[in-house]
Structures are given as C-alpha cells and as structure tokens.
Amino acid sequence: MELVVTLIASDTLEPALAAQVVGALNARCAERLDARATDIFIDGEIHPTRRIVERTLADAPVDFVVQPRADRRKQLLLSDMDSTLIEQECIDELAAELGLKARVSAITERAMRGELDFESALTSRVALLKGIGESAIDKILQSAITLTPGAAAMTRTLKANGIRTVLVSGGFTQFAGPIAERLGMDAH
C-alpha cells in the first residue's frame, strides 16, 4: 500500500532526524513541507511503519501521522475569522464605535501575554461593549471589515475541489454569518 508519513515538529524539524526516518523506512522519496514538517512516501503497511517511525524518533519532540496516500486528500477547512480571514478583530471594531478601543486592546494584550485567561479576557472586553446597538455591527461590516488578501480565492479554490469550508468565531455570529456569506463558505 502506498503510504505517506508526515513528521511534524513544534519548532524546527531537524533535517538529520528526517533523514534518519527516511533511511529507516527505506523510503523512495521525501518532501520537506516547511521548517517544521516533512512528508515521506513509502510502500508498506500502516502498523509496521508506525513501529519503525516510533523507534527511530525515540524521544524526539516530533509528532507523526501514517496514512494511506489515497485517503490523504483534505475534505474540510475550519478557519478562524478575526485576523485570519478578515484583517480586523471584531471586538476592537465594536469598541472603537464606543471610543473604547484602547481599553479593549489593552485587555487583549494582557491575555496574549498570559496575564489573563481567555474566558476572563473575553468577559471583560464584552462587558465594556454593553449597550452597543446592532446597527453598529452593520456599519462595521460595511465600512471597517476587509477580507485578508487571498481569502476569497482560497475559499473558491477549496470549494472547487470539493472541500467543505467553515468559518469559526469566538461568539460573534452577527459578524461570522455575513463574512462567511461574503467568502462563499459552507457554514459558520
């Protein structure tokens, strides 16, 4: 059976370690995907291949996946919305409408530094938005939200290849729905 072994490091996948796995598997070829990942192509069976990879990696900080090459095609994209498929953070844009963008951004920065957990940070930021009307959302969608360059082309390409696309958000469904629609995504 034709298999793909994907090695994935959280930091840098050392080329020498990838080469060790290639050698241990007697692989026919390998393709470095980026500094953290490599695909290795072999003919073999899943379970014996897994054992060889586990033994070769030993305690190295590298994850791996062994899968049939035929079943490898991607079928689903789940994508974050803010600062990923759109260039803005919706909560910051809402805060700007109330003149509170600096306060909300400061809370976000504290959360990013690990000083606040996600739930506390979100609760604090949303509390500052109390009383903002739904009309502000429509205004922001029309005047402030811009798609990340390439986002629409990526979505069209994925859908043309039969891949389901889903937009996820930390609770701003009033933004996620229209943005998913603008991108032509399947769901949000």
Side-chain angles (χ1 to χ4, degrees), residues 91 107 117-130:
I91 199 163
I107 295 168
D117 63 88
F118 176 79
E119 187 175 336
S120 297
L122 183 60
T123 301
S124 298
R125 291 179 292 171
V126 170
L128 291 171
L129 302 177
K130 185 176 181 180

Side-chain angles (χ1 to χ4, degrees), residues 56-117:
T56 306
L57 291 175
D59 293 328
V62 176
D63 290 327
F64 70 94
V65 177
V66 178
Q67 59 188 322
R69 188 169 186 183
D71 295 341
R72 188 167 188 241
R73 185 174 175 93
K74 308 298 184 265
Q75 297 178 25
L76 174 67
L77 169 77
L78 292 174
S79 180
D80 184 36
M81 179 177 66
D82 292 45
S83 295
T84 304
L85 293 183
I86 62 171
E87 295 182 302
Q88 296 75 29
E89 293 285 327
C90 291
I91 199 163
D92 289 348
E93 298 304 320
L94 287 167
E97 286 294 308
L98 296 173
L100 299 171
K101 189 170 185 172
R103 285 181 64 190
V104 169
S105 293
I107 295 168
T108 302
E109 286 301 315
R110 288 185 61 210
M112 297 301 264
R113 287 192 306 263
E115 297 170 12
L116 291 173
D117 63 88

Side-chain angles (χ1 to χ4, degrees), residues 18-77:
Q20 277 184 281
V21 176
V22 168
L25 292 171
N26 196 25
R28 64 179 185 279
C29 70
E31 178 183 339
R32 189 168 176 91
L33 302 174
D34 65 18
R36 300 181 314 179
T38 296
D39 277 344
I40 302 169
F41 302 91
I42 66 165
D43 290 316
E45 297 299 319
I46 291 177
H47 297 295
T49 299
R50 285 187 57 79
R51 287 191 291 275
I52 293 168
V53 174
E54 286 171 347
R55 195 169 45 248
T56 306
L57 291 175
D59 293 328
V62 176
D63 290 327
F64 70 94
V65 177
V66 178
Q67 59 188 322
R69 188 169 186 183
D71 295 341
R72 188 167 188 241
R73 185 174 175 93
K74 308 298 184 265
Q75 297 178 25
L76 174 67
L77 169 77

Side-chain angles (χ1 to χ4, degrees), residues 119-145:
E119 187 175 336
S120 297
L122 183 60
T123 301
S124 298
R125 291 179 292 171
V126 170
L128 291 171
L129 302 177
K130 185 176 181 180
I132 195 166
E134 281 194 46
S135 62
I137 293 171
D138 293 333
K139 178 182 174 189
I140 292 166
L141 279 166
Q142 292 175 14
S143 65
I145 300 298

